Amino acid sequence: IFRGEDPALNKNTCPFFSEMALRYMNEHAKTNKRSWREDERALKKDLLPFIGSFPSNQISKRDITQLIERISDRGSKTQANR
């Protein structure tokens, strides 16, 4: 911002989804939720294989829609709604 640049557009400073997920698990879920193991399972099974390598600022609505459809197509409609 100081240099007149938008940090959201700088791909070098934007964390990958997998980095954000790990931070969420360590700093929030494991310390505040009794159901953190379910969060971890969902991340490992559904989210990280599909969008884990994406920079977080490049995840689109289409990516999320495709992710939900993949989960739903395997018969896990309840999980797809979470």
Side-chain angles (χ1 to χ4, degrees):
I1 295 174
F2 178 74
R3 295 183 194 131
E5 299 172 4
D6 183 354
L9 298 176
N10 187 344
K11 294 176 185 160
N12 295 328
T13 61
C14 187
F16 290 97
F17 179 80
S18 59
E19 296 168 335
M20 293 178 63
L22 179 62
R23 186 173 177 190
Y24 161 77
M25 287 302 302
N26 291 330
E27 294 180 14
H28 176 72
K30 288 183 179 180
T31 58
N32 297 308
K33 295 181 70 179
R34 285 186 271 165
S35 62
W36 68 268
R37 286 181 182 86
E38 176 59 26
D39 291 356
E40 184 175 57
R41 187 205 62 76
L43 281 168
K44 287 180 179 179
K45 182 172 183 167
D46 297 320
L47 300 170
L48 294 178
F50 188 67
I51 60 172
S53 62
F54 289 27
S56 58
N57 68 344
Q58 292 184 9
I59 298 172
S60 67
K61 289 179 185 179
R62 182 177 178 197
D63 296 326
I64 300 303
T65 300
Q66 289 175 342
L67 174 64
I68 292 168
E69 288 172 356
R70 286 176 54 165
I71 297 168
S72 182
D73 288 348
R74 73 162 193 257
S76 298
K77 298 197 185 303
T78 301
Q79 185 65 28
N81 284 326
R82 291 186 177 187

